[in-house]
Amino acid sequence: MKKFPCRAGCGSSLFSAVLVVFLLSACAQWLPFKEPPPAVPAPAAKSQPPSPPPPPRIALALGGGAARGFAHVGVIKALEAQGIVPDIIVGTSAGAVVGALYAAGHSGFELQKLALQMDEGQVADWSLPARGVIKGEALQDFVNRAVNQRPLEKMPRLFAVVATDLQSGEAAVFRSGNTGMAVRASSSVPGVFQPVVINGHEYVDGGLVHPVPVRVARSLGADFVIAVDISARPQYGRVQSTLDVLLQTFAIMGQSIGRHELPEADMVIRPETPNIRATSFQDRHLAVLEGEKAVAVLLPELRRKLAKLREERQQRQ
């Protein structure tokens, strides 16, 4: 067997290596055992409270009634004072006139100021009889000036105007286009105003189909409809002139149609206007006051119904 020479110090080096391994092993056996730190649980995700349901969409359905339409101004003033501001406005005839100004951003007080400054000559352009003794262009221009020439679709609030298609007899709901022209069409009492031509169709007063446009307001997404009925009861009508006879006829017809549509409103406000003539601007102060008084009488019931609707929506959330 061949022997390999060992260099000097070879044995001592081997011994030292063995000794180091032994000492390290011994140290490892005697070192105290440390448990790993406990795992810190991740913070539980905070449950987000359910978001409140959106507030109910309130609509104001403003009916026709010629000069009694000033009562709409009082209603709007009183509702605004209680923080009740509609999201949707729908108007027929006189209601379309007031509704356009309101939808354009005028407050109730500003509406009253405009009403008091209005002169009958600003909206009545008499002409020789030609299917009507009033052309209606003056009313159209007045409304367009008051809304700063905004078309219907550019109004700050959703606004719709109801008229009647003279050929088909169907309701026409205008939501875009010339605001003044739509209001003029909605206000064109047959035999008094000349029919309005829009896109090849002739239109007359919306009161023939929707004296107070509750159903139209509902179709636009309203959750709560406040209807304002300013029509005079036929028993209070005056029939001293041809115009009186026409308006009395409208009052009778409107009462008949309204019996079917008004019950679908959540709240019906009826200003007392029997002594206010449909053709007179002289009683505008009284009409505004009657509108305010009508809201004051019904305010507790209106608040209760709105609170109940909000509670029901919260429970369904």
Side-chain angles (χ1 to χ4, degrees):
M1 182 175 183
K2 187 176 179 179
K3 294 182 179 180
F4 292 94
C6 179
R7 295 177 180 176
C10 178
S12 62
S13 296
L14 180 61
F15 175 77
S16 298
V18 172
L19 180 61
V20 169
V21 172
F22 173 79
L23 289 175
L24 289 175
S25 175
C27 288
Q29 292 180 14
W30 288 102
L31 284 173
F33 175 75
K34 291 184 179 181
E35 294 186 359
V40 179
K46 294 183 179 180
S47 59
Q48 297 293 330
S51 57
R57 300 188 79 196
I58 300 174
L60 198 57
L62 304 176
R68 287 186 292 268
F70 291 109
H72 288 316
V73 175
V75 169
I76 291 169
K77 274 184 62 183
L79 291 176
E80 276 191 343
Q82 300 299 323
I84 301 173
V85 179
D87 307 284
I88 302 167
I89 303 166
V90 186
T92 291
S93 198
V97 177
V98 177
L101 274 56
Y102 189 36
H106 293 288
S107 68
F109 283 98
E110 291 169 342
L111 288 177
Q112 183 173 11
K113 183 178 178 181
L114 283 170
L116 298 181
Q117 293 174 345
M118 182 186 298
D119 182 78
E120 189 172 353
Q122 292 178 285
V123 295
D125 45 358
W126 298 89
S127 68
L128 292 175
R131 299 199 299 169
V133 295
I134 298 178
K135 290 188 292 184
E137 293 175 358
L139 174 61
Q140 176 177 325
D141 293 341
F142 170 81
V143 170
N144 279 333
R145 286 194 304 270
V147 303
N148 294 320
Q149 308 298 327
R150 288 192 187 97
L152 291 166
E153 68 272 17
K154 297 295 184 180
M155 292 292 189
R157 293 194 184 99
L158 176 59
F159 177 53
V161 177
V162 180
T164 304
D165 188 312
L166 187 58
Q167 275 71 45
S168 69
E170 298 292 329
V173 180
F174 294 101
R175 292 184 55 191
S176 63
N178 188 306
T179 300
M181 183 173 287
V183 170
R184 172 187 171 191
S186 180
S187 305
S188 293
V189 179
V192 180
F193 282 79
Q194 298 172 7
V196 180
V197 179
I198 302 176
N199 296 329
H201 289 256
E202 289 188 315
Y203 296 96
V204 292
D205 198 299
L208 290 168
V209 286
H210 291 291
V212 185
V214 174
R215 290 173 183 162
V216 177
R218 193 75 73 184
S219 71
L220 295 177
D223 301 305
F224 193 93
V225 178
I226 302 173
V228 187
D229 179 13
I230 58 170
S231 63
R233 307 298 176 264
Q235 61 266 33
Y236 298 119
R238 303 174 184 180
V239 288
Q240 299 171 352
S241 68
T242 302
L243 184 56
D244 288 338
V245 171
L246 283 171
L247 294 176
Q248 175 75 343
T249 304
F250 255 63
I252 295 170
M253 180 194 64
Q255 290 286 300
S256 178
I257 298 174
R259 291 191 189 101
H260 300 283
E261 187 166 3
L262 278 173
E264 298 178 21
D266 298 284
M267 176 67 65
V268 180
I269 300 174
R270 291 186 173 94
E272 291 294 329
T273 59
N275 297 319
I276 300 175
R277 294 191 65 187
T279 57
S280 173
F281 276 46
Q282 305 306 314
D283 297 325
R284 70 188 87 181
H285 293 278
L286 179 59
V288 172
L289 180 60
E290 289 298 335
E292 294 181 38
K293 288 166 59 177
V295 172
V297 170
L298 295 176
L299 187 59
E301 182 183 1
L302 176 57
R303 286 193 174 281
R304 179 182 59 78
K305 287 186 174 183
L306 283 172
K308 181 180 179 182
L309 177 59
R310 293 188 182 101
E311 182 181 349
E312 291 173 349
R313 291 169 66 88
Q314 183 69 46
Q315 290 174 352
R316 291 196 298 266
Q317 184 71 8

